[in-house]
Amino acid sequence: MASRVGLSVAEDRTDASAQIEQALADIVKTTGAHLGAVYLKVPEDQLLRMVRVIGVSLRVARPWSMVALAAPVPVAEAAREGHPVWVGSHVELARRFPRTALALPYDVAMLVVPLSTGDTCWGALLQLWPGTRDPDPSRQEEEATDTGARLIGELLRQAAEEGNPLPPGELRVVEPPPARYEEPGAEITERLPEGMCALDLEGRITFYNRRATELLGVDESELLGARLWEILPWLLDPVYENAYLAALFSRLPRSFTALRPPDRLLAFYLYPDATGISVRIVPTEEAAVPDEEPAPAPEGSAVPAEEPPALSFEGPASPGLAAESGDDPVAAPTVTERTRPGALYQLLHLSSALTESVGVQDVTDAVTNQILPVIDVQSLAMVTVDGGRLQVVGSRGFPQEIVDGLQDRSLSADSPEVRAIMTGIPTFHPHIEDLRRIYPNIAVSPDTAACAHLPMFASGRTIGAVVLGYNRPHFFPPDERAGLTSLAGVIAQALERARLYDTKNQVALGLQAALLPGVLPDVPGIEVAARYIPATTGMDIGGDFYDLIRLDDTSVAAVIGDVQGHNVNAAALMGQVRTAVHTHASAGAIPGEILARTNRLLVDLRSNLFTSCLYAHLDLRNHRAHLATAGHLPPVLLHPDGRTEIIDGPSGILLGIEPEAQYRTFDVPLPPGAILALFTDGLVEVPGTDLDESIAEFAGHLAEADSQSLEELTETLVRRAAQAGRRSWGNDDIALLLIKVAAV
């Protein structure tokens, strides 16, 4: 490992905390990473917390210090699944982890590895490099990272076994290397016509020349130790601080132009390294920006130049935000403050978790599993209004008696959540005594020391409230109040979409279920099992169908098909196809003729949707199957000896295209004890994989059937197909029909 760097730790170097900090410093020095962080699992909260960081200050790191373990982000994936995650650029980050790219909109490359010993994962190690580096980590970087991660994992294990684990709630900074020079070129910079200043990793000014004070229009006494955007009102907009953050995270030069009132444009050039950022300030002769136009966004910023940030919260909270906050001066701050860019991106990151939610349960899960841990809230309840009473749609952390007390509460009740709904004003109580003083009869959880009640706005009205509980006193600064209030609004919009989805989805699924056979007929000589799984994304109705038609005492017909599309038209056409096939089969037509007659019907209907269909007439007396197919996937036959056969006979074109299309009937043996599997492409098709290979893989799974019942076998086939395909169900409907011929 590389030589040691300065650390802000105790004198005792045998302490596990100091050794972990030393290991982290050694790792980033060896790999050349400019930022490193150690995250620890907090299993009881389903959370990862950053406990050590090098390369940025606490203030900068804090918005990214907590990650829900269930979140689809690199740190959580590495800790959850136990494998390294390498992301070579911000473009790749946006493609693979869009929520992380939103929360960290800087040009960086990223490597995250789990911190594990044996079967225990303690957390994850994160490193960042500039996004301009090589697209893949070098062997030296990988080896140094692996060695360091193993060392940190072992130190964490030893500390836990000795009863002195690293506290997951304590975030500490490993100090950067010391400045290279005591006097950083003071005389040289005084001779330059440009303004020069240096910022540390906190963004504070550590050096400046006289020209900088002239260009900025400030007294020398104001600069040292201050942040530019705090002492200069015209640099207060978060997009300017975002340029600093972009340089800090990416370690790449950044620049922006700002208007110093009334009419002087200044260009700022930022040059970062491991110890801080050097800033050049140059006057520019460009025309001044009109007062009504927003300042231009810095290079590399995620905020577009033509409009202000969509969620840029400004100034102190409105008077309503401070209502009922008690007499605590911190609870009702008067300091004008804007939301910091890191907090802004973190809010966007949390909000994006809700964009992936579909139904009400999805929204509830996203809030309780991904959002609640990250905003450091111990208890949460979401209530909506239905028929003049409150309905709890989701909760976590509150005792059941508190949740039961909210359920069915009348809107005439005198309670904080009802008041938030009726007035639309959020309330914040840093101490629970504030709440008791206003509502002396309210039931409060003994674990709640502070709380907030946030109205949920959607479609121009208040639909409910979010109740937050903290297990210790919690002061709400203006930016946090604005962020929580806005997050409640995002939750409300997600709930509205989810309720609409659930309503439409229930109608859709009910219609689709009505078009499928409720109970398959009981036919002597065969055993049948079917499985239908509707698509789980979107609200459209699918067109997959199956049927079993009893023809006489010794013969039965099996049908499976897939109508193109996912909408009401597809479902209607599916019902017509099923009816037509059933009618022609009952009339005694042979398989090829049944498909030809059904095809002519669909052509006459002039539908622009096409249908695949497989019809199988099973002759149980002679142990033969007569089949015809219209562009459908071939069935798979499992022979009694365990051998599988993909029955790939002659196929006609899809139904509904050519009015005179012909469909050939072909025969295959159907020995006693065999299983015939009919299925739709949703079961086997995997993007990027050859369909024939996918069908062969499914046949292999069928061949592994043991003494399972046919019902159990359908479950096994669906589960194994999912595992083999490494896919998430929801892209297409699935229909599976298994028919087992009784053994002689």
Side-chain angles (χ1 to χ4, degrees):
M1 281 290 178
S3 61
R4 290 164 55 176
V5 297
L7 303 174
S8 58
V9 296
E11 292 290 324
D12 182 8
R13 305 306 297 170
T14 62
D15 175 72
S17 173
Q19 294 181 60
I20 289 172
E21 293 176 1
Q22 180 67 62
L24 178 61
D26 289 342
I27 292 170
V28 298
K29 186 170 184 179
T30 305
T31 64
H34 59 258
L35 185 149
V38 172
Y39 284 82
L40 288 188
K41 272 187 176 181
V42 187
E44 61 271 19
D45 294 333
Q46 288 297 293
L47 187 70
L48 286 163
R49 282 184 180 267
M50 185 190 297
V51 293
R52 297 294 183 270
V53 64
I54 184 170
V56 293
S57 66
L58 283 177
R59 173 180 167 275
V60 172
R62 193 161 282 118
W64 289 272
S65 63
M66 290 187 291
V67 177
L69 196 56
V73 300
V75 169
E77 180 175 309
R80 187 175 61 242
E81 301 185 12
H83 63 68
V85 177
W86 166 257
V87 183
S89 67
H90 191 266
V91 172
E92 183 182 355
L93 186 67
R95 178 177 58 84
R96 294 174 54 192
F97 302 99
R99 286 168 52 181
T100 303
L102 185 64
L104 194 70
Y106 309 117
D107 190 10
V108 297
M110 178 186 306
L111 175 62
V112 189
V113 297
L115 299 172
S116 304
T117 55
D119 295 330
T120 301
C121 179
W122 303 96
L125 168 68
L126 164 72
Q127 295 180 87
L128 296 185
W129 292 265
T132 53
R133 57 154 293 142
D134 294 336
D136 297 306
S138 68
R139 183 174 180 181
Q140 179 189 21
E141 290 167 344
E142 290 180 335
E143 290 178 350
T145 299
D146 290 343
T147 301
R150 286 197 299 270
L151 173 59
I152 293 176
E154 186 61 27
L155 290 170
L156 292 170
R157 183 193 64 79
Q158 292 177 4
E161 289 182 352
E162 292 169 1
N164 188 30
L166 211 62
E170 178 189 24
L171 174 57
R172 290 170 57 177
V173 172
V174 181
E175 294 295 340
R180 289 181 289 272
Y181 310 105
E182 293 184 6
E183 296 292 335
E187 293 183 4
I188 296 175
T189 61
E190 288 297 336
R191 304 186 187 107
L192 298 176
E194 304 172 347
M196 305 289 293
C197 64
L199 311 180
D200 62 14
L201 295 179
E202 287 273 2
R204 299 186 184 277
I205 300 171
T206 58
F207 168 82
Y208 59 89
N209 66 356
R210 189 175 295 107
R211 180 59 172 158
T213 65
E214 296 172 357
L215 292 173
L216 296 176
V218 294
D219 189 84
E220 292 186 19
S221 62
E222 298 181 47
L223 282 178
L224 202 62
R227 299 184 180 95
L228 286 174
W229 49 88
E230 292 179 348
I231 61 173
L232 300 172
W234 46 278
L235 285 181
L236 187 60
D237 194 297
V239 296
Y240 299 130
E241 186 187 357
N242 187 59
Y244 160 75
L245 291 177
L248 191 66
F249 276 104
S250 69
R251 290 299 197 269
L252 297 173
R254 287 290 180 265
S255 65
F256 63 90
T257 302
L259 178 66
R260 173 190 160 186
D263 57 3
R264 190 165 197 184
L265 280 173
L266 297 177
F268 293 76
Y269 300 90
L270 285 65
Y271 302 93
D273 73 359
T275 61
I277 295 178
S278 295
V279 182
R280 290 174 54 220
I281 307 170
V282 182
T284 175
E285 300 300 321
E286 296 175 11
V289 179
D291 291 342
E292 66 272 12
E293 291 185 11
E299 178 187 347
S301 169
V303 183
E306 61 272 13
E307 59 182 26
L311 290 176
S312 182
F313 308 109
E314 181 176 339
S318 64
L321 294 180
E324 299 185 14
S325 57
D327 300 324
D328 194 308
V330 182
T334 58
V335 178
T336 298
E337 181 176 334
R338 290 180 183 234
T339 299
R340 302 265 62 86
L344 175 65
Y345 290 126
Q346 182 69 355
L347 174 61
L348 291 172
H349 172 65
L350 296 176
S351 300
S352 66
L354 295 170
T355 65
E356 302 167 3
S357 303
V358 179
V360 171
Q361 188 59 50
D362 293 333
V363 173
T364 301
D365 292 343
V367 172
T368 57
N369 296 335
Q370 298 188 39
I371 294 179
L372 185 148
V374 177
I375 60 177
D376 201 21
V377 173
Q378 287 71 52
S379 307
L380 177 145
M382 295 183 294
V383 295
T384 58
V385 179
D386 185 9
R389 293 189 173 274
L390 302 186
Q391 301 296 317
V392 179
V393 296
S395 69
R396 176 176 168 180
F398 282 117
Q400 189 59 45
E401 57 268 22
I402 299 296
V403 177
D404 292 341
L406 290 173
Q407 182 69 22
D408 288 327
R409 179 171 292 174
S410 172
L411 287 181
S412 62
D414 185 22
S415 67
E417 58 281 339
V418 170
R419 183 167 182 178
I421 293 171
M422 299 303 291
T423 65
I425 299 175
T427 59
F428 302 88
H429 303 278
H431 302 282
I432 202 63
E433 289 74 18
D434 301 335
L435 183 70
R436 295 184 189 277
R437 186 167 58 249
I438 300 169
Y439 303 98
N441 298 322
I442 193 171
V444 178
S445 169
D447 297 328
T448 301
C451 62
H453 297 81
L454 313 171
M456 294 195 295
F457 292 100
S459 304
R461 60 191 178 91
T462 308
I463 67 167
V466 177
V467 183
L468 304 179
Y470 301 79
N471 60 9
R472 56 187 177 277
H474 186 89
F475 304 110
F476 300 91
D479 59 341
E480 184 178 4
R481 295 183 181 208
L484 290 174
T485 303
S486 297
L487 188 59
V490 175
I491 292 173
Q493 294 170 8
L495 272 177
E496 279 287 88
R497 292 194 305 269
R499 289 158 79 175
L500 179 62
Y501 167 84
D502 283 348
T503 300
K504 290 185 176 180
N505 196 46
Q506 288 301 317
V507 173
L509 293 180
L511 174 59
Q512 194 162 39
L515 294 173
L516 292 171
V519 179
L520 295 175
D522 185 12
V523 180
I526 61 170
E527 181 184 351
V528 182
R531 182 78 187 274
Y532 173 75
I533 305 174
T536 57
T537 58
M539 294 180 288
D540 294 328
I541 307 173
D544 287 18
F545 65 94
Y546 64 88
D547 205 352
L548 191 71
I549 308 167
R550 182 171 182 172
L551 301 175
D552 56 40
D553 292 341
T554 61
S555 60
V556 63
V559 187
I560 197 162
D562 186 357
V563 178
Q564 176 191 27
H566 284 80
N567 50 44
V568 174
N569 292 335
L573 191 62
M574 177 260 281
Q576 291 171 314
V577 171
R578 276 196 62 228
T579 301
V581 170
H582 201 288
T583 300
H584 298 313
S586 300
I590 62 173
E593 183 61 25
I594 291 173
L595 293 185
R597 294 178 183 178
T598 304
N599 174 65
R600 286 193 289 272
L601 171 65
L602 296 190
V603 171
D604 291 342
L605 291 174
R606 301 193 177 188
S607 171
N608 59 354
L609 302 178
F610 308 129
T611 304
S612 70
C613 186
L614 171 69
Y615 182 93
H617 178 113
L618 309 182
D619 183 352
L620 304 179
R621 175 180 295 172
N622 299 308
H623 301 293
R624 304 287 297 181
H626 311 284
L627 301 97
T629 179
H632 198 79
L633 300 181
V636 176
L637 182 66
L638 174 62
H639 290 268
D641 60 4
R643 177 175 53 91
T644 57
E645 176 186 359
I646 299 174
I647 305 174
D648 200 359
S651 177
I653 65 173
L654 297 173
L655 302 177
I657 299 177
E658 172 56 51
E660 301 303 324
Q662 299 296 314
Y663 301 90
R664 291 176 53 188
T665 300
F666 59 97
D667 295 353
V668 296
L670 192 65
I675 297 177
L676 182 66
L678 285 65
F679 49 91
T680 58
D681 54 4
L683 182 67
V684 296
E685 193 170 34
V686 179
T689 302
D690 183 78
L691 185 57
D692 291 338
E693 293 180 6
S694 298
I695 295 174
E697 192 170 33
F698 169 78
H701 295 155
L702 184 63
E704 297 172 4
D706 46 25
S707 59
Q708 290 179 309
S709 69
L710 215 58
E711 289 291 343
E712 293 173 335
L713 180 56
T714 59
E715 297 295 329
T716 300
L717 290 173
V718 170
R719 183 177 65 253
R720 289 185 177 177
Q723 294 169 348
R726 303 178 184 89
R727 69 192 295 272
S728 298
W729 301 122
N731 298 325
D732 199 0
D733 298 336
I734 297 167
L736 173 64
L737 181 62
L738 297 183
I739 304 166
K740 182 175 183 179
V741 181
V744 176

